[in-house]
Amino acid sequence: MGIDWAAFLVVALVAVVSACFVVAVYSVGLRFWSAADTRAGKFTVKDDGTIGPATAGFPNPQGATGAVRGLRALAITCFVVCGAVVLYGIYLIVPQFH
């Protein structure tokens, strides 16, 4: 009885790639959510690139609601994809689900 190193390598590689995928998609979702907040006028981007709370004089462009809804939909889609990947991983690990 020995260790199947090829199978071990495949499992380790899939675990690392899937973990990186979940982290990357979640961070993209957070970026979309933040962009929607900025577009909606909740935050302002200052001249030095930092983000602060919106001031009273912040211009809220007309018609920005469609862009905000689109960005929020993209963010929620990213979060749903992350949840689906995590649930699929749990499904693969727990033998009672098969």
Side-chain angles (χ1 to χ4, degrees):
M1 184 169 182
I3 296 175
D4 186 2
W5 289 104
F8 178 77
L9 182 62
V10 167
V11 169
L13 187 63
V14 168
V16 169
V17 168
S18 62
C20 290
F21 175 78
V22 168
V23 169
V25 172
Y26 191 83
S27 65
V28 168
L30 287 177
R31 179 63 184 111
F32 282 143
W33 194 275
S34 174
D37 282 347
T38 302
R39 183 71 62 105
K42 291 184 180 180
F43 300 102
T44 57
V45 180
K46 299 176 185 173
D47 292 334
D48 60 355
T50 59
I51 296 176
T55 59
F58 181 76
N60 192 2
Q62 298 297 329
T65 58
V68 170
R69 287 181 182 161
L71 289 169
R72 289 235 196 267
L74 286 172
I76 291 170
T77 302
C78 289
F79 299 147
V80 168
V81 166
C82 288
V85 169
V86 168
L87 289 176
Y88 184 66
I90 292 171
Y91 168 79
L92 290 176
I93 291 171
V94 179
Q96 286 84 2
F97 292 157
H98 295 256

